[in-house]
Amino acid sequence: MNADTAVFLPDALMINVPEVDEQHAALFARLARLKHRCIETNCLPDDDATTLLESLRIHCATEERLANQAGVSFTTHAKKHQQMLKGIEKTLHDVRNEKTDIFSLIRYIEYWFERHIIEEDKDLGRNLQKAPVFLSGDPLTAANASGLPC
């Protein structure tokens, strides 16, 4: 895992799927940077907000791809991702229209993300680790574990 982002992911939130853990750490790091920038500028840097949302979308797609490769049911998990993304999009819209503040959004994402990892992603990690495709040392697994594209 990248040493710069590893500090943002405590051991209790690791699911032991390298590609996912790396993304989780990077997302927490991105949130911390966004919070810092918002405090410095007292506003929402729009490019940061857009990048954060895109990073969340990529992460959700990664989990779905890994689950599909492993034959793990992902329907309920995917619905939770979609609800979260819609909520963030709506709240970003509200922030941009000055109906709410960015710090409420950041707190929501941090809280949701931590809870989601504990309640959903830990089980996903255990299921992925038991899947034959991951146990077999399949080349796709090695590429995914290193963060390389398939």
Side-chain angles (χ1 to χ4, degrees):
M1 183 178 306
N2 179 328
D4 293 333
T5 59
V7 298
F8 290 95
L9 187 66
D11 289 345
L13 296 179
M14 301 226 4
I15 71 164
N16 298 314
V17 176
E19 185 175 9
V20 175
D21 285 335
E22 180 67 37
Q23 286 183 359
H24 284 165
L27 284 163
F28 281 120
R30 185 176 300 283
L31 277 169
R33 286 190 303 272
L34 177 61
K35 187 178 197 176
H36 182 74
R37 279 195 69 192
C38 289
I39 290 169
E40 282 183 336
T41 63
N42 199 30
C43 70
L44 169 65
D46 198 53
D47 57 329
D48 288 352
T50 301
T51 302
L52 173 64
L53 188 56
E54 184 58 25
S55 296
L56 286 165
R57 284 188 181 115
I58 290 168
H59 173 66
C60 293
T62 296
E63 286 187 0
E64 186 167 2
R65 174 181 47 80
L66 292 174
N68 287 337
Q69 287 175 343
V72 172
S73 175
F74 199 72
T75 304
T76 302
H77 197 133
K79 285 180 185 177
K80 291 179 182 182
H81 283 173
Q82 292 307 310
Q83 290 170 340
M84 175 268 302
L85 290 170
K86 283 181 185 177
I88 291 172
E89 287 172 348
K90 181 194 177 307
T91 306
L92 272 174
H93 180 269
D94 290 347
V95 169
R96 288 175 177 134
N97 290 309
E98 299 180 4
K99 293 181 181 178
T100 193
D101 66 281
I102 185 60
F103 301 106
S104 295
L105 176 62
I106 292 170
R107 280 189 303 274
Y108 167 77
I109 295 171
E110 288 172 336
Y111 172 76
W112 185 92
F113 208 44
E114 285 180 27
R115 195 184 83 226
H116 181 77
I117 291 169
I118 291 166
E119 294 176 0
E120 302 292 331
D121 289 352
K122 288 244 181 208
D123 285 339
L124 174 64
R126 283 188 288 275
N127 289 330
L128 289 176
Q129 291 167 17
K130 290 188 241 176
V133 69
F134 287 86
L135 293 173
S136 71
D138 182 283
L140 288 176
T141 305
N144 291 335
S146 67
L148 299 172
C150 296

